[in-house]
Amino acid sequence: MTSKTSKKSAPVTNAHALPSYLDPAHLGPWGIYLAQVDRVTPYLGPLTRWVETLKRPKRALIVDVPLRRDDGTIAHYEGYRVQHNVSRGPGKGGVRFHQDVTLSEVMALAAWMSVKNAAVNVPYGGAKGGIRVDPRTLSAGELERLTRRYTSEIGLIIGPTKDIPAPDVNTNEKVMAWMMDTYSVNVGATSTGVVTGKPIEMGGSLGRREATGRGVFTVGIEAAKQIGLQIEGARVAVQGFGNVGGIAGKLFTEAGSLVVAVLDHTGGVHNDKGLNVPKLLEHVAKTGGVAGFKGGEPLATADFWSTKCDILIPAALEGQITKANAPKIKAKMVIEGANGPTTPEADDILQDKGVLVVPDVIANAGGVTVSYFEWVQDFSSFFWSEEEINQRLIRIMKEAFDGVWNTAQQHKVSLRTATFIVACTRILTARDLRGLYP
């Protein structure tokens, strides 16, 4: 990557110290995001004067979520909702239930949502939420009570014109139904537009469940064209085989690719001749993971990253591709289905190896794009067919990728930096036009 600074750029300075609630020695995922902002800053021209806006969230809410357990005891969980930037519209971002959720992680995810929404040019800012809990330790009733209490605690900052949650890690349509109902009861009126990713029967959108994986596939096809990679016969390795990795794997298989390796939290499976993806998806639905699938050989986690493949799709959690395993990767292209799966050090290693990285902030934006469709449909009370939704999704994803690719060629930068150039320019232009009040 070359460093090409515009003559009009304002000098890059660290004008402010880190917020007091962060530890400079352990920034976590937020540190990755800050490094990405530093890389894009030289390309922002006069908008550089606003760049500190990107380096601190507009609002971060930490809540205590008390839960009455089934045995009568009271447990307490830490919950978060972070709104990174709302210059372009209401906050938008998922809610995850995971035992390792931290404020740094939620802040970074909210910031990446700001970038993602601006990259595909939907009128949202970025937000994210989570509860520090392992949902596997809760009964169905406990999960519902936890969800409803969390929704009530963050209710003062969410709403269909303020901040619209959606599903993320370990949350789903049922959780969104509970959130919508809780918010509606609290405000005294049914509000379908307060969340997206809802059941169809409650104002959800057709195509939403598959949207993120379909977006990964769509931009993957476009990127493959640019580097001359033939999709038919291409070897694909996927980390994470849920709604994102599973759908992407299915679509690549239907296009003639071979999914040769899959890894998830239960283990890995490999078949050099190609896994039977429909049967693997059935196995995952029944057992909760890929481990034990009879259509391939067991694959160790350490060996997954060195799998001989053309396309690698990390679709699990952040920070999975690091300086330790990046040198082992043999793929020609990495398509990030997860949020923040590649560290900046790994990014540089992959670029030096000639591996094209299609970044999360464009690759997995299909989910929020169809969430936007759902929100629009809820406001209008008029719903589109799945064919219409998929056509509009594909058009938006292709146009967004084309803009990012052209920006990358213009500035001779990676696709990640190019996506940040496009998105941060839009965010900071809106911030500049709105001005500061008072």
Side-chain angles (χ1 to χ4, degrees):
M1 175 168 48
T2 59
S3 178
K4 181 178 178 182
T5 307
S6 168
K7 293 180 180 178
K8 295 182 180 180
S9 297
V12 179
T13 59
N14 186 12
H16 302 282
L18 286 167
S20 61
Y21 50 81
L22 291 177
D23 179 359
H26 301 93
L27 284 177
W30 183 250
I32 296 175
Y33 165 74
L34 290 180
Q36 293 166 345
V37 172
D38 286 342
R39 291 188 177 194
V40 75
T41 301
Y43 303 92
L44 297 178
L47 293 171
T48 302
R49 67 190 286 256
W50 292 101
V51 76
E52 287 294 317
T53 303
L54 301 173
K55 296 182 181 181
R56 38 192 41 79
K58 176 180 177 61
R59 184 178 290 114
L61 178 64
I62 304 173
V63 296
D64 173 48
V65 188
L67 169 67
R68 185 181 70 256
R69 301 296 301 266
D70 291 340
D71 62 5
T73 61
I74 305 298
H76 291 261
Y77 299 92
E78 198 168 301
Y80 310 96
R81 188 67 187 178
V82 173
Q83 295 165 353
H84 173 257
N85 188 281
V86 293
S87 294
R88 301 181 64 255
K92 187 78 187 77
V95 173
R96 62 175 52 183
F97 293 171
H98 195 276
Q99 61 273 17
D100 296 327
V101 164
T102 64
L103 178 59
S104 169
E105 178 185 53
V106 177
M107 286 169 58
L109 292 167
W112 285 323
M113 285 302 302
S114 294
V115 175
K116 189 183 307 183
N117 289 326
V120 292
N121 209 18
V122 296
Y124 287 140
K128 207 75 176 187
I131 304 177
R132 192 174 173 84
V133 61
D134 183 351
R136 295 172 296 182
T137 65
L138 304 179
S139 68
E142 290 171 336
L143 183 64
E144 179 177 354
R145 293 195 293 276
L146 186 77
T147 300
R148 290 183 180 277
R149 182 62 188 233
Y150 168 73
T151 305
S152 292
E153 295 293 346
I154 66 169
L156 69 165
I157 66 169
I158 65 171
T161 61
K162 293 181 180 179
D163 180 1
I164 306 105
D168 197 74
V169 175
N170 292 329
T171 57
N172 54 23
E173 294 178 354
K174 182 177 289 186
V175 172
M176 292 304 107
W178 292 331
M179 291 191 74
M180 190 212 86
D181 180 68
T182 303
Y183 179 85
S184 296
V185 170
N186 287 346
V187 300
T190 297
S191 178
T192 57
V194 68
V195 298
T196 59
K198 303 180 297 295
I200 300 297
E201 297 82 357
M202 295 179 63
S205 177
L206 296 169
R208 171 60 184 86
R209 189 180 304 167
E210 302 81 15
T212 307
R214 189 175 299 280
V216 167
F217 171 74
T218 300
V219 298
I221 294 294
E222 295 303 300
K225 291 176 184 176
Q226 296 291 347
I227 64 173
L229 175 60
Q230 184 71 33
I231 291 297
E232 188 170 355
R235 298 165 61 85
V236 181
V238 185
Q239 184 207 23
F241 217 59
N243 278 351
V244 181
I247 295 299
K250 177 175 178 287
L251 292 173
F252 272 107
T253 299
E254 291 172 355
S257 302
L258 297 175
V259 175
V260 296
V262 175
L263 178 74
D264 69 4
H265 66 283
T266 66
V269 62
H270 176 269
N271 188 327
D272 203 53
K273 296 181 180 179
L275 294 160
N276 186 320
V277 170
K279 288 191 178 299
L280 180 56
L281 287 169
E282 289 178 8
H283 175 81
V284 171
K286 289 179 181 177
T287 68
V290 304
F293 181 63
K294 303 300 183 183
E297 299 295 323
L299 179 66
T301 299
D303 296 333
F304 171 81
W305 301 105
S306 58
T307 299
K308 183 182 178 183
C309 62
D310 300 299
I311 299 172
L312 173 63
I313 304 175
L317 295 172
E318 61 274 358
Q320 299 299 297
I321 301 178
T322 66
K323 62 181 179 181
N325 59 24
K328 303 176 184 177
I329 291 174
K330 298 181 172 65
K332 298 173 183 174
M333 179 166 65
V334 173
I335 313 171
E336 295 183 338
N339 292 309
T342 309
T343 66
E345 298 91 346
D347 242 351
D348 292 339
I349 292 170
L350 293 175
Q351 179 142 335
D352 290 343
K353 284 165 58 76
V355 179
L356 179 69
V357 178
V358 185
D360 51 353
V361 282
I362 186 71
N364 68 20
V368 75
T369 301
V370 176
S371 279
Y372 168 59
F373 296 165
E374 179 177 334
W375 183 69
V376 169
Q377 291 171 90
D378 285 337
F379 270 112
S380 65
S381 296
F382 182 82
F383 291 84
W384 311 334
S385 70
E386 189 165 0
E387 182 181 2
E388 287 177 296
I389 288 164
N390 289 339
Q391 286 177 349
R392 294 178 193 214
L393 169 64
I394 292 169
R395 176 182 58 80
I396 286 175
M397 295 297 290
K398 284 184 174 181
E399 289 176 355
F401 179 81
D402 287 346
V404 166
W405 182 269
N406 291 337
T407 299
Q409 299 305 302
Q410 176 187 347
H411 293 287
K412 300 186 182 345
V413 295
S414 69
L415 291 183
R416 190 182 313 280
T417 298
T419 307
F420 269 72
I421 292 172
V422 171
C424 292
T425 297
R426 287 173 176 161
I427 294 168
L428 297 184
T429 297
R431 174 69 278 176
D432 187 51
L433 289 170
R434 290 180 65 156
L436 287 178
Y437 171 78

